[in-house]
């Protein structure tokens, strides 16, 4: 283990380390802590300039109730869910099939096809913006949830395919070949051998894609415009414009927007990190 | 039919498996790239007819001061973002211990990456607020006058980059924490027996083993730096007077607010070409690893 385990260090260093750890953590999360505190403040507190002390009066429940009452926060949240869930399911499904095709069949152009999925996933969004916007309008999807669902599904398929292909490539070939000799159809091989084996990867990937899509801001500016369709990221920014002076509400809104990915991260931490670091531990 | 299928299944099936993913990707990613490049040779307001004007958009672009400011800011982003891997490594080394509660501490350190950049932007705009922001208070406590970072033409880009580094460092940290977990204990023990420790150990024994993590960290950091849009849009809208714009934001502004689709497409094409250098490098490495 590197660095050398602290248990082997002198006691004084151990104590120093254990004191430093929470201090470093608080310093690192200071901006976030401040926002959490602000979300529990009263407007009087803010007017008096008490931004960083303890709230004089705790308004936690009031502020969070207020934001749902006076702003379309609930609609924004629901929109984000409506956009994110189908995207995750469909892009992961498409990519599992594509990943299987690229990993376990010796088809022509397979490296080229794989490179296209990988490369496409790193390009700047702006190179897609104008044509995707035009296409969305032509298909009649503009300013509907479909605009974002279809685009995100297509775009995330690139990353998902990279991920699934690497995962499936590491599975043993023997199972597939044995099944083929038995006369099992290719679809059944996929459905009954591959899918059960990739389940951990599906979980990791789903968590990751959920976070990516949930947190998207750019496309929610470009492909939708009304409050009825806006996801939470664009909604939050719209609120910032309307509620400029009400920082306690903006803060509460920020915390709410951050909650689903954070909760998911905590619940599925192992999967999440496995997803992010895929390829980082093997060259 | 079914006879043919049975015989050629192994040949046809992969293409059927590939088809849905490839079709949506081609429609929404590959084709738009080509279309954008094509649009960049036109003058177009997004609604009417396109007028072919050859390279005129590019000629105008290279004389546009705002383009150079944005490009310069992209370079700042790129250079300063490179701090994320070493800082992430430092934090990972600091956290790579087995004390009670360390798992929770690690997850909390990773927090900034999980939350949306919109929220990060709002948090930092708040942090920099010249009247009551925490930065003002901290500086005030050591006797420095408040600085309105986000309305200062010279400082604004650094302020936004600092906000962007927060989640990026968290990302690099997690990559390195995973890397540190898979170090070979034998090599470390052997090096320790040879008397290696501290920085020398880190440099000669640990870092070479962390190469894969470093590679991914650098790739995602470069891509993150060049993709910077959200924070600029949230924190400053490119202001004051365009001084914090980056190519991604400049493109958005020209196409969405000024209805100059051709010009916007030209900016996007330039950004795309810059990014291609890194994408090509990544693909080249990946394919090389694949072949070996």
């Amino acid at each position: 283990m590197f660095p050398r385990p602290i248990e082997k260090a002198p006691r004084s260093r151990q104590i120093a380390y254990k004191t430093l750890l929470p201090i470093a953590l608080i310093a690192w999360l200071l901006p976030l802590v401040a926002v959490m505190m602000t979300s529990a403040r009263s407007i009087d507190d803010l007017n008096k300039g008490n931004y960083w002390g303890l709230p004089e009066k705790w308004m936690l429940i009031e502020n969070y109730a207020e934001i749902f009452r006076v702003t379309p926060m609930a609609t924004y949240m629901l929109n984000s869910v409506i956009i994110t869930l189908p995207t995750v399911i469909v892009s992961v499904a498409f990519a599992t099939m594509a990943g299987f095709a690229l990993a376990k069949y010796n088809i022509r152009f397979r490296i080229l096809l794989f490179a296209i999925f990988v490369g496409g996933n790193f390009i700047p969004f702006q190179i897609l913006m104008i044509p995707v916007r035009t296409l969305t309008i032509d298909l009649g999807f503009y300013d509907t949830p479909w605009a974002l669902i279809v685009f995100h599904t297509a775009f995330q398929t690139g990353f998902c395919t990279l991920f699934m292909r690497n995962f499936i490539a590491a599975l043993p070939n023997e199972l597939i070949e044995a099944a083929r000799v038995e006369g099992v159809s290719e679809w059944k091989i996929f459905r009954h051998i591959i899918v059960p084996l990739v389940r951990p990867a599906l979980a990791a990937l789903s968590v990751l894609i959920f976070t990516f899509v949930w947190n998207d801001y750019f496309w929610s500016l470009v492909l939708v415009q009304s409050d009825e369709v806006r996801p939470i990221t664009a909604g939050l920014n719209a609120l910032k414009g309307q509620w400029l002076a009400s920082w306690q509400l903006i803060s509460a809104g920020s915390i709410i927007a951050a909650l689903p990915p954070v909760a998911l991260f905590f619940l599925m931490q192992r999967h999440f990190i496995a997803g992010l670091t895929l390829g980082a531990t093997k060259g | 039919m079914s006879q043919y299928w049975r015989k050629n299944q192994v040949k046809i099936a992969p293409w059927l498996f590939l088809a849905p993913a490839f079709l949506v990707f081609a429609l929404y990613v590959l084709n738009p790239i080509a279309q954008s490049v094509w649009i960049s040779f036109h003058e177009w307001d997004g609604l009417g007819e396109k007028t072919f004007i050859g390279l005129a958009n590019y000629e105008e672009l290279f004389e546009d001061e705002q383009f150079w400011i944005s490009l310069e800011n992209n370079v700042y982003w790129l250079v300063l973002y490179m701090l994320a891997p070493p800082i992430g490594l430092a934090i990972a080394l600091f956290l790579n211990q087995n004390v009670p509660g360390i798992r929770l501490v690690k997850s909390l350190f990773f927090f900034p990456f999980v939350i949306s950049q919109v929220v990060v932007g709002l948090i930092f705009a708040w942090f920099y607020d010249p009247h009551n922001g925490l930065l003002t208070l901290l500086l005030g406590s050591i006797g420095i006058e408040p600085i309105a970072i986000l309305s200062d033409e010279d400082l604004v880009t650094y302020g936004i980059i600092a906000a962007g580094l927060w989640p990026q460092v968290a990302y690099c940290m997690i990559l390195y924490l995973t890397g540190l977990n898979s170090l070979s204990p034998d090599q470390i023990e052997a090096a320790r027996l040879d008397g290696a420790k501290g920085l020398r150990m880190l440099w000669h024994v640990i870092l070479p083993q962390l190469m894969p993590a470093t590679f991914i960290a650098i790739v995602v950091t470069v891509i993150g730096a060049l993709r910077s849009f959200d924070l600029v849009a949230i924190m400053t809208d490119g202001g004051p007077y365009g001084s914090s714009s980056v190519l991604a934001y400049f493109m958005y502004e020209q196409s969405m607010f000024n209805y100059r689709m051709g010009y916007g497409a030209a900016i996007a094409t330039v950004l795309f070409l810059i990014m291609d250098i890194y994408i090509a490098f990544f693909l080249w490495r990946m394919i090389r690893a694949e072949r070996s």
Side-chain angles (χ1 to χ4, degrees), chain B residues 89-222:
Chain B
L89 175 62
I91 298 181
L93 289 171
F94 175 65
L95 295 179
N96 194 32
Q97 294 290 352
N98 271 325
V99 297
I102 195 74
R103 272 181 58 99
L104 182 65
V105 173
K106 284 178 188 167
S107 341
L108 289 171
F109 260 88
F110 187 58
F111 244 57
F113 181 75
V114 184
I115 58 186
S116 157
Q117 298 244 323
V118 175
V119 176
V120 173
L122 288 174
I123 292 177
F124 269 79
W126 180 229
F127 181 75
Y128 289 143
D129 182 78
H131 302 296
N132 293 298
L134 186 59
L135 187 69
T136 302
L137 290 181
L138 289 176
L139 291 177
S141 69
I142 51 169
I144 298 177
E145 288 290 298
I147 309 168
I149 292 197
L150 296 183
S151 37
D152 183 314
E153 287 183 43
D154 298 319
L155 294 177
V156 61
T157 293
Y158 299 109
I160 305 174
I161 295 173
L165 276 172
W166 194 44
Q168 196 63 36
V169 166
Y171 192 176
C172 294
M173 175 205 80
I174 213 81
L175 290 172
Y176 279 119
L177 272 176
T178 316
L180 285 172
N181 255 326
S182 54
L183 291 178
S184 133
D186 301 351
Q187 279 192 36
I188 297 178
E189 279 321 305
R192 278 206 177 115
L193 287 179
D194 287 342
K197 59 181 178 186
L199 280 179
R200 278 177 58 86
M201 172 88 150
L202 178 67
W203 186 255
H204 293 287
V205 182
I206 307 298
L207 275 184
Q209 291 190 59
L210 290 175
M211 260 316 273
T214 303
F215 175 67
I216 302 278
I218 289 176
V219 168
V220 296
T221 302
V222 168

Side-chain angles (χ1 to χ4, degrees), chain A residues 17 52 127 165 186 269, chain B residues 9 36 94 96 107 132 290:
Chain A
Y17 181 77
W52 302 95
I127 193 81
R165 149 39 256 210
E186 298 303 308
Q269 202 174 14
Chain B
Q9 212 196 131
S36 273
F94 175 65
N96 194 32
S107 341
N132 293 298
E290 201 67 25

Side-chain angles (χ1 to χ4, degrees), chain B residues 5 26 33 36 46 49-50 56 58 80 85-86 88 107 139 147 151 176 191 203 225 227 231 256-257 259 266 283:
Chain B
W5 172 244
I33 295 175
S36 273
E49 288 292 301
K50 298 187 188 74
Y58 292 92
L80 290 172
S107 341
L139 291 177
I147 309 168
S151 37
Y176 279 119
W203 186 255
R227 271 204 180 154
L231 290 173
M256 296 291 277
F257 301 147
Y259 304 101
L283 288 178

